[in-house]
Short mmCIF file of all heavy atoms in Angstrom, two decimals:
data_model
loop_
_atom_site.label_atom_id
_atom_site.label_comp_id
_atom_site.label_asym_id
_atom_site.label_seq_id
_atom_site.Cartn_x
_atom_site.Cartn_y
_atom_site.Cartn_z
N ASN A 254 0.78 -1.22 -0.11
CA ASN A 254 -0.05 0.01 0.06
C ASN A 254 0.89 1.28 -0.07
O ASN A 254 1.33 1.64 1.01
CB ASN A 254 -0.85 0.01 1.20
CG ASN A 254 -1.96 1.09 1.16
OD1 ASN A 254 -1.62 2.19 0.87
ND2 ASN A 254 -3.19 0.72 1.62
N LEU A 255 1.33 1.75 -1.17
CA LEU A 255 2.08 2.91 -1.24
C LEU A 255 1.53 4.22 -0.62
O LEU A 255 2.28 4.84 0.12
CB LEU A 255 2.45 3.23 -2.71
CG LEU A 255 3.62 4.21 -2.85
CD1 LEU A 255 4.90 3.81 -2.11
CD2 LEU A 255 3.92 4.41 -4.35
N PRO A 256 0.30 4.58 -0.83
CA PRO A 256 -0.20 5.84 -0.06
C PRO A 256 -0.01 5.66 1.46
O PRO A 256 0.40 6.64 2.07
CB PRO A 256 -1.65 5.78 -0.48
CG PRO A 256 -1.71 5.20 -1.76
CD PRO A 256 -0.81 4.02 -1.71
N GLU A 257 -0.30 4.51 2.00
CA GLU A 257 -0.18 4.33 3.42
C GLU A 257 1.26 4.37 3.83
O GLU A 257 1.66 4.97 4.95
CB GLU A 257 -0.74 3.10 3.91
CG GLU A 257 -0.93 2.81 5.29
CD GLU A 257 -1.75 1.53 5.70
OE1 GLU A 257 -2.67 1.23 5.04
OE2 GLU A 257 -1.28 0.87 6.62
N ALA A 258 2.19 3.73 2.95
CA ALA A 258 3.60 3.83 3.24
C ALA A 258 4.19 5.26 3.22
O ALA A 258 4.98 5.55 4.09
CB ALA A 258 4.33 2.79 2.33
N LYS A 259 3.68 5.93 2.20
CA LYS A 259 4.13 7.25 2.02
C LYS A 259 3.78 8.12 3.27
O LYS A 259 4.57 8.90 3.77
CB LYS A 259 3.54 8.00 0.73
CG LYS A 259 3.90 9.47 0.62
CD LYS A 259 3.23 9.93 -0.72
CE LYS A 259 3.59 11.47 -0.75
NZ LYS A 259 2.50 12.31 -1.12
N ALA A 260 2.55 7.95 3.70
CA ALA A 260 2.09 8.68 5.00
C ALA A 260 3.04 8.41 6.17
O ALA A 260 3.28 9.38 6.93
CB ALA A 260 0.53 8.43 5.17
N LEU A 261 3.20 7.20 6.29
CA LEU A 261 4.02 6.65 7.44
C LEU A 261 5.42 7.35 7.39
O LEU A 261 6.03 7.84 8.29
CB LEU A 261 4.10 5.23 7.58
CG LEU A 261 5.01 4.68 8.60
CD1 LEU A 261 4.55 5.06 10.03
CD2 LEU A 261 5.17 3.14 8.49
N LEU A 262 6.02 7.17 6.22
CA LEU A 262 7.37 7.60 6.01
C LEU A 262 7.47 9.16 6.25
O LEU A 262 8.51 9.74 6.84
CB LEU A 262 7.93 7.16 4.74
CG LEU A 262 8.18 5.73 4.57
CD1 LEU A 262 8.41 5.33 3.05
CD2 LEU A 262 9.23 5.13 5.49
N GLU A 263 6.60 9.88 5.60
CA GLU A 263 6.63 11.35 5.77
C GLU A 263 6.47 11.77 7.36
O GLU A 263 7.01 12.60 7.74
CB GLU A 263 5.52 12.05 4.90
CG GLU A 263 5.96 12.00 3.43
CD GLU A 263 5.06 12.60 2.51
OE1 GLU A 263 3.74 12.54 2.79
OE2 GLU A 263 5.34 13.21 1.47
N LYS A 264 5.58 11.02 7.90
CA LYS A 264 5.25 11.34 9.47
C LYS A 264 6.56 10.97 10.25
O LYS A 264 6.92 11.74 11.11
CB LYS A 264 4.25 10.37 9.99
CG LYS A 264 3.90 10.47 11.37
CD LYS A 264 2.90 9.47 11.90
CE LYS A 264 2.67 9.57 13.31
NZ LYS A 264 2.73 8.28 14.05
N GLU A 265 7.47 10.19 9.69
CA GLU A 265 8.72 9.86 10.42
C GLU A 265 9.94 10.64 9.88
O GLU A 265 11.01 10.40 10.24
CB GLU A 265 8.99 8.35 10.25
CG GLU A 265 7.97 7.49 11.00
CD GLU A 265 8.02 7.72 12.47
OE1 GLU A 265 9.14 8.03 13.00
OE2 GLU A 265 7.00 7.64 13.11
N GLY A 266 9.56 11.75 8.98
CA GLY A 266 10.64 12.57 8.61
C GLY A 266 11.15 12.39 7.23
O GLY A 266 12.09 13.08 6.78
N CYS A 267 10.70 11.41 6.47
CA CYS A 267 11.24 11.16 5.15
C CYS A 267 10.58 12.10 4.27
O CYS A 267 9.42 12.69 4.43
CB CYS A 267 10.89 9.79 4.75
SG CYS A 267 11.75 8.55 5.79
N LYS A 268 11.22 12.38 3.13
CA LYS A 268 10.73 13.27 2.02
C LYS A 268 10.71 12.44 0.66
O LYS A 268 11.56 11.80 0.36
CB LYS A 268 11.60 14.52 1.84
CG LYS A 268 11.56 15.39 3.12
CD LYS A 268 12.41 16.71 2.95
CE LYS A 268 12.36 17.59 3.97
NZ LYS A 268 11.98 17.58 5.13
N VAL A 269 9.58 12.75 -0.10
CA VAL A 269 9.62 12.18 -1.46
C VAL A 269 10.53 13.08 -2.33
O VAL A 269 10.48 14.17 -2.35
CB VAL A 269 8.31 12.18 -2.04
CG1 VAL A 269 8.25 11.82 -3.50
CG2 VAL A 269 7.27 11.40 -1.22
N THR A 270 11.51 12.35 -2.94
CA THR A 270 12.50 13.10 -3.72
C THR A 270 12.18 12.99 -5.25
O THR A 270 12.54 13.74 -6.07
CB THR A 270 13.97 12.77 -3.53
OG1 THR A 270 14.01 11.38 -3.80
CG2 THR A 270 14.31 13.05 -2.12
N GLN A 271 11.34 11.89 -5.54
CA GLN A 271 10.97 11.62 -7.04
C GLN A 271 9.82 10.70 -6.99
O GLN A 271 9.83 9.75 -6.31
CB GLN A 271 12.05 11.06 -7.80
CG GLN A 271 11.74 11.10 -9.22
CD GLN A 271 13.02 10.80 -10.16
OE1 GLN A 271 14.06 10.89 -9.71
NE2 GLN A 271 12.79 10.75 -11.45
N GLN A 272 8.70 11.03 -7.79
CA GLN A 272 7.61 10.14 -7.94
C GLN A 272 7.73 9.69 -9.40
O GLN A 272 7.58 10.41 -10.26
CB GLN A 272 6.32 10.83 -7.59
CG GLN A 272 5.13 9.94 -7.73
CD GLN A 272 3.90 10.44 -7.20
OE1 GLN A 272 3.95 11.37 -6.33
NE2 GLN A 272 2.77 9.75 -7.40
N TYR A 273 7.95 8.44 -9.63
CA TYR A 273 8.04 7.88 -11.02
C TYR A 273 6.77 7.64 -11.70
O TYR A 273 6.49 7.85 -12.80
CB TYR A 273 8.72 6.52 -11.04
CG TYR A 273 10.20 6.81 -10.43
CD1 TYR A 273 10.50 6.36 -9.16
CD2 TYR A 273 11.14 7.34 -11.22
CE1 TYR A 273 11.86 6.54 -8.62
CE2 TYR A 273 12.44 7.55 -10.71
CZ TYR A 273 12.74 7.05 -9.47
OH TYR A 273 14.03 7.36 -9.03
N ASN A 274 5.67 7.08 -10.75
CA ASN A 274 4.32 6.90 -11.10
C ASN A 274 3.53 6.69 -9.77
O ASN A 274 4.13 6.80 -8.80
CB ASN A 274 4.16 5.80 -12.22
CG ASN A 274 4.56 4.43 -11.63
OD1 ASN A 274 4.22 4.03 -10.61
ND2 ASN A 274 5.35 3.75 -12.48
N ARG A 275 2.20 6.42 -9.97
CA ARG A 275 1.47 6.28 -8.81
C ARG A 275 1.83 5.06 -7.92
O ARG A 275 1.33 4.92 -6.74
CB ARG A 275 0.02 6.34 -9.01
CG ARG A 275 -0.58 5.25 -9.86
CD ARG A 275 -2.08 5.43 -10.32
NE ARG A 275 -2.48 4.35 -10.91
CZ ARG A 275 -3.15 3.27 -10.43
NH1 ARG A 275 -3.54 3.30 -9.07
NH2 ARG A 275 -3.63 2.32 -11.19
N HIS A 276 2.68 4.23 -8.40
CA HIS A 276 3.21 3.00 -7.69
C HIS A 276 4.56 2.94 -7.35
O HIS A 276 5.07 1.98 -6.67
CB HIS A 276 2.81 1.63 -8.66
CG HIS A 276 1.46 1.52 -8.92
ND1 HIS A 276 0.53 1.06 -8.12
CD2 HIS A 276 0.92 1.73 -10.22
CE1 HIS A 276 -0.65 0.92 -8.72
NE2 HIS A 276 -0.51 1.30 -9.99
N SER A 277 5.33 4.14 -7.48
CA SER A 277 6.71 4.05 -7.33
C SER A 277 7.29 5.41 -6.98
O SER A 277 7.08 6.45 -7.64
CB SER A 277 7.39 3.53 -8.67
OG SER A 277 8.74 3.69 -8.76
N MET A 278 8.00 5.44 -5.73
CA MET A 278 8.55 6.82 -5.35
C MET A 278 9.92 6.62 -4.70
O MET A 278 10.15 5.57 -4.10
CB MET A 278 7.63 7.30 -4.20
CG MET A 278 6.24 7.75 -4.67
SD MET A 278 5.37 8.37 -3.11
CE MET A 278 3.80 8.51 -3.94
N MET A 279 10.71 7.52 -4.85
CA MET A 279 12.05 7.74 -4.19
C MET A 279 11.86 8.50 -2.97
O MET A 279 11.27 9.57 -3.13
CB MET A 279 13.17 8.23 -5.20
CG MET A 279 14.47 8.28 -4.56
SD MET A 279 15.19 6.66 -4.37
CE MET A 279 15.62 6.32 -6.10
N PHE A 280 12.49 8.06 -1.90
CA PHE A 280 12.45 8.77 -0.61
C PHE A 280 13.90 9.08 -0.10
O PHE A 280 14.82 8.46 -0.40
CB PHE A 280 11.68 7.93 0.47
CG PHE A 280 10.27 7.85 0.28
CD1 PHE A 280 9.81 6.80 -0.45
CD2 PHE A 280 9.39 8.61 0.85
CE1 PHE A 280 8.43 6.62 -0.68
CE2 PHE A 280 8.02 8.46 0.74
CZ PHE A 280 7.56 7.40 -0.01
N SER A 281 14.01 10.10 0.78
CA SER A 281 15.26 10.47 1.38
C SER A 281 14.78 10.35 2.86
O SER A 281 13.79 11.04 3.26
CB SER A 281 15.64 11.96 1.07
OG SER A 281 16.71 12.29 1.85
N ASP A 282 15.58 9.67 3.59
CA ASP A 282 15.22 9.62 5.10
C ASP A 282 15.91 10.72 5.81
O ASP A 282 16.76 11.53 5.32
CB ASP A 282 15.50 8.26 5.64
CG ASP A 282 17.16 7.84 5.82
OD1 ASP A 282 17.93 8.84 5.83
OD2 ASP A 282 17.43 6.72 5.88
N PRO A 283 15.57 10.96 7.08
CA PRO A 283 16.17 11.92 7.94
C PRO A 283 17.73 11.84 8.15
O PRO A 283 18.32 12.74 8.74
CB PRO A 283 15.45 11.87 9.34
CG PRO A 283 14.28 11.02 9.04
CD PRO A 283 14.63 10.11 7.86
N PHE A 284 18.30 10.75 7.80
CA PHE A 284 19.62 10.37 8.10
C PHE A 284 20.64 10.54 6.92
O PHE A 284 21.73 10.09 6.93
CB PHE A 284 19.79 8.97 8.66
CG PHE A 284 18.75 8.76 9.75
CD1 PHE A 284 17.51 8.07 9.43
CD2 PHE A 284 18.69 9.36 10.94
CE1 PHE A 284 16.55 7.84 10.36
CE2 PHE A 284 17.65 9.22 11.92
CZ PHE A 284 16.66 8.51 11.60
N GLY A 285 19.91 10.99 5.77
CA GLY A 285 20.79 11.14 4.52
C GLY A 285 20.67 9.96 3.41
O GLY A 285 21.39 10.12 2.52
N MET A 286 20.07 8.93 3.73
CA MET A 286 19.97 7.88 2.93
C MET A 286 18.78 7.98 1.91
O MET A 286 17.80 8.51 2.30
CB MET A 286 19.91 6.55 3.66
CG MET A 286 21.17 6.31 4.49
SD MET A 286 22.72 6.16 3.62
CE MET A 286 22.29 4.77 2.52
N ASN A 287 18.91 7.34 0.69
CA ASN A 287 17.69 7.32 -0.19
C ASN A 287 17.34 5.83 -0.48
O ASN A 287 18.23 4.95 -0.37
CB ASN A 287 18.26 7.94 -1.55
CG ASN A 287 18.59 9.49 -1.34
OD1 ASN A 287 17.73 10.19 -1.07
ND2 ASN A 287 19.80 9.65 -1.73
N PHE A 288 16.01 5.69 -0.64
CA PHE A 288 15.51 4.44 -0.99
C PHE A 288 14.32 4.48 -1.74
O PHE A 288 13.66 5.58 -1.71
CB PHE A 288 15.26 3.62 0.33
CG PHE A 288 14.30 4.28 1.29
CD1 PHE A 288 13.00 3.89 1.27
CD2 PHE A 288 14.89 5.05 2.35
CE1 PHE A 288 12.16 4.49 2.15
CE2 PHE A 288 14.05 5.58 3.26
CZ PHE A 288 12.74 5.37 3.15
N HIS A 289 14.07 3.60 -2.56
CA HIS A 289 12.91 3.36 -3.50
C HIS A 289 11.80 2.61 -2.86
O HIS A 289 12.10 1.56 -2.34
CB HIS A 289 13.38 2.87 -4.72
CG HIS A 289 12.36 2.75 -5.77
ND1 HIS A 289 12.34 1.64 -6.68
CD2 HIS A 289 11.47 3.50 -6.25
CE1 HIS A 289 11.16 1.69 -7.48
NE2 HIS A 289 10.70 2.88 -7.23
#
């Protein structure tokens, strides 16, 4: 569930750095790491 995952990650300080499509996003965490 990407919308739910996005909400949780943003609540925990992550930021969306790129949205590829409605099923795929790149995040940056508060510690300087990136993950898809």
Side-chain angles (χ1 to χ4, degrees):
N254 188 321
L255 187 58
E257 193 175 316
K259 178 183 180 225
L261 172 64
L262 292 168
E263 288 180 327
K264 179 180 172 230
E265 295 298 325
C267 295
K268 293 183 178 12
V269 174
T270 58
Q271 187 165 359
Q272 182 165 346
Y273 300 104
N274 60 48
R275 65 187 183 97
H276 300 286
S277 172
M278 294 179 190
M279 182 70 73
F280 290 86
S281 175
D282 72 19
F284 317 103
M286 298 300 297
N287 297 298
F288 55 91
H289 179 223

